[in-house]
Amino acid sequence: QPQLMESGGGLVQPGGSLGLSCAASPNIFTFAAVGWYRQVPGKQREWVARITASGVPAYADSVKGRFTISRDTVKNMVFLQMNGLKPEDTAVYYCHGLFIRKDYWGQGTQVTVSS
């Protein structure tokens, strides 16, 4: 059974940086793409970024130029480096993977941007 598990997150001041990690099992190539979504209470889950099995990244306009998605194919990890954080980036961030047209989700990790 494919699984995803996030780590990282926490509290950071506006303008600061934070990194998230996602461990993919059995391996990163199980998924057609691995990425990140975020959700705030009362709103729909919002796509943030993804990286395909071939290594092609893509970003939502709201984070382009500030967030960077990368991966380590040996450690089966996907990373989200978040720079220039804004209060509106506050959300629960979920790692997401697509496997045989089915969505798989991590448990989520809280990111709070506040002074």
Side-chain angles (χ1 to χ4, degrees), residues 39-92:
Q39 189 170 26
V40 297
K43 291 191 175 182
Q44 281 193 324
R45 199 165 288 190
E46 173 192 25
W47 173 67
V48 175
R50 69 170 176 268
I51 188 163
T52 66
S54 57
V56 178
Y59 301 93
D61 287 343
S62 59
V63 306
K64 201 172 293 184
R66 300 188 297 123
F67 290 12
T68 302
I69 190 168
S70 62
R71 66 181 186 174
D72 184 327
T73 57
V74 174
K75 295 182 179 179
N76 294 306
M77 300 284 292
V78 174
F79 308 100
L80 186 68
Q81 179 63 37
M82 304 181 290
N83 299 326
L85 283 161
K86 306 175 182 179
E88 51 263 42
D89 294 317
T90 296
V92 177

Side-chain angles (χ1 to χ4, degrees), residues 3 35-36 38 47 62-63 65 82 94 99 107-108:
Q3 288 188 332
W36 297 90
R38 64 188 182 186
W47 173 67
S62 59
V63 306
M82 304 181 290
Y94 296 90
F99 172 63
Q107 79 282 2

